[in-house]
Amino acid sequence: MEHSAATVSYLAEEQLVSIVPRQSMDSITLIGRSMPALRPLVRQEVPLWLALLLKRHGKCSIVAPAWLDIENLKHIYEQEQANRNRFSELPEHWIETSELLLNEAADDISSEPHTIRALLQDLKEIRQSKAREGMGQLTSSYIQLDNLGRMEIHELRGFMTGIMRQLHKLDSFIEQPTSDYEDD
Amino acid sequence: MDINDLLKDLDSRVFGSADDDKDKEGDILALQKAWVSELTCPEILPYQDELLEQLRDRLDLQIEEIERQTAAESGTVTSDVKFSLLVIESEVERVRFLIRSYLRTRIAKLSRMDMHYARNTYNLSQEEIKFIRKRVELLSHLYDRQFNMRSWPENLKGLEDDTGGLSMVTVPDMNSPVIFKVVRPIEETVQLGDETIELMQDSIYAMRYSAVQKFIANGAVVML
């Protein structure tokens, strides 16, 4: 097993989202957080996987998260442009969540899913290019990655850790006489 | 909402099932955390014995519940019961996946560093220790026979040889970089060569494992 897009998505499906039930249902005891009793139009929080299951069976609509909104996404994009040195704040599972919601609950998310999709794509691209620029400053010791989402980190992981490993090897090669790294 | 629903709501509030639920949710979150740590850290981490046992017990209960409901309602399954079974089954599948992936990740690491972990068993479960001993035993047999090592001089036979500075034993690379988020304040600074680094809460870093190892153990950072 290794950390993959699938494991990252699994974790995204565990986060809580708000739903508006369309019909009554009794509560269900589960291994983790149990499903609460559902009443029509009474908002509840459930894990995303359960929200999607309810949605697929026409039993609820999903409340679009506040950040997944055209005006907000435009605003974040402007911030990304204005600050070349930092990433704007987005939920850690923003890529996975928006994909799942747009694929399975587009009617709940926005009247213009195409616009949302386009904005998300722009955001992904501008953040990717920033991340690439940032990799230019990679050293063998550390790098700070504040506000990057889990999927973004996943996509950078192999490349980034590979370079850090190589740099570390070079360091300890250069410093060999006094090196304290390779002792164990 | 009718009177039954009101009573049920009241019951769950009075008898604190919400707290119970928090614990249950906490167990799942704890195993998810252990799973991601296992996927990303170079060494094998402490086996989550109690956690797994509790989750396994609850898994068994759910499977019994599925069987009970299926048997009781056979023939006249209402769509509500069908759906609630679907919810229970979906979650059972998710939890099974989590446990399986956790265990397989550990076995993959064990196998890659088998000679090392046959000697350093402190973080392993009883089953894993049995597995690793058997594996090393079978491998030694295989090498013995395949290369006829039995007839070799004693000093060339070892499988744990490190002459010439080239170790035949794969050990965890404690310097391999890991990516993590700081979730609790950390007073101590981290020394990396000449650099002193303050780990800021809510920040995300990539850094060599050996520098942050202890913060994983005490829960101040979570692996990403």
Side-chain angles (χ1 to χ4, degrees), chain B residues 25 33 38 61 127 184-186 202 209 212 223:
Chain B
E25 200 183 349
K33 220 159 82 175
E38 211 61 81
L61 283 179
E127 293 303 314
R184 287 219 297 263
I186 299 179
D202 296 327
Y209 175 71
V212 289
M223 308 307 290

Side-chain angles (χ1 to χ4, degrees), chain A residues 105-125:
Chain A
D107 54 330
D108 295 336
I109 299 314
S110 165
S111 49
E112 301 170 54
H114 293 300
T115 315
I116 296 249
R117 266 183 209 278
L119 283 167
L120 287 166
Q121 189 56 36
D122 290 346
L123 260 182
K124 261 193 239 176
E125 282 170 13

Side-chain angles (χ1 to χ4, degrees), chain A residues 1 10 13-14 25 29-34 39 49 57 141-146 150 157 165, chain B residues 5 21 24-25 32 58 62 83 86 91 94 101 105 176 179 195 197 203-206 208 224:
Chain A
M1 295 295 303
Y10 180 96
E13 287 162 6
E14 290 292 315
M25 269 182 76
T29 306
L30 295 175
I31 300 168
R33 185 192 176 92
S34 292
R39 300 286 164 262
W49 67 265
H57 286 79
S141 58
Y142 83 106
I143 187 165
Q144 211 165 329
L145 305 159
D146 295 358
R150 290 266 187 138
R157 187 191 309 274
R165 252 189 216 116
Chain B
D5 294 325
D21 222 43
K24 286 164 57 187
E25 200 183 349
Q32 282 168 14
R58 298 219 293 268
Q62 291 301 79
F83 186 75
L86 181 62
E91 198 216 15
R94 291 184 66 82
S101 180
T105 305
S176 74
I179 306 170
E195 284 177 280
I197 296 140
S203 283
I204 298 171
Y205 300 88
R208 77 190 59 137
L224 299 181

Side-chain angles (χ1 to χ4, degrees), chain B residues 62-123:
Chain B
Q62 291 301 79
I63 291 164
E64 274 169 34
E65 179 65 17
I66 294 172
E67 281 166 2
R68 203 184 54 79
Q69 283 197 23
T70 319
E73 303 281 340
S74 62
T76 57
V77 187
T78 66
S79 70
D80 270 4
V81 172
K82 243 193 216 163
F83 186 75
S84 108
L85 276 173
L86 181 62
V87 170
I88 296 174
E89 279 167 1
S90 304
E91 198 216 15
V92 162
E93 276 318 307
R94 291 184 66 82
V95 175
R96 271 189 179 151
F97 169 81
L98 180 63
I99 294 176
R100 220 168 36 221
S101 180
Y102 172 75
L103 295 174
R104 287 176 61 174
T105 305
R106 291 175 61 89
I107 290 293
K109 278 158 99 172
L110 272 181
S111 305
R112 194 155 37 82
M113 301 178 276
D114 46 11
M115 291 298 189
H116 173 76
Y117 281 112
R119 281 181 293 170
N120 302 284
T121 55
Y122 40 86
N123 280 342

Side-chain angles (χ1 to χ4, degrees), chain B residues 44-74:
Chain B
I44 300 233
L45 301 168
Y47 181 70
Q48 299 292 321
D49 207 351
E50 267 174 48
L51 208 51
L52 282 171
E53 194 148 326
Q54 281 182 15
L55 287 174
R56 277 202 194 110
D57 286 349
R58 298 219 293 268
L59 256 179
D60 288 345
L61 283 179
Q62 291 301 79
I63 291 164
E64 274 169 34
E65 179 65 17
I66 294 172
E67 281 166 2
R68 203 184 54 79
Q69 283 197 23
T70 319
E73 303 281 340
S74 62

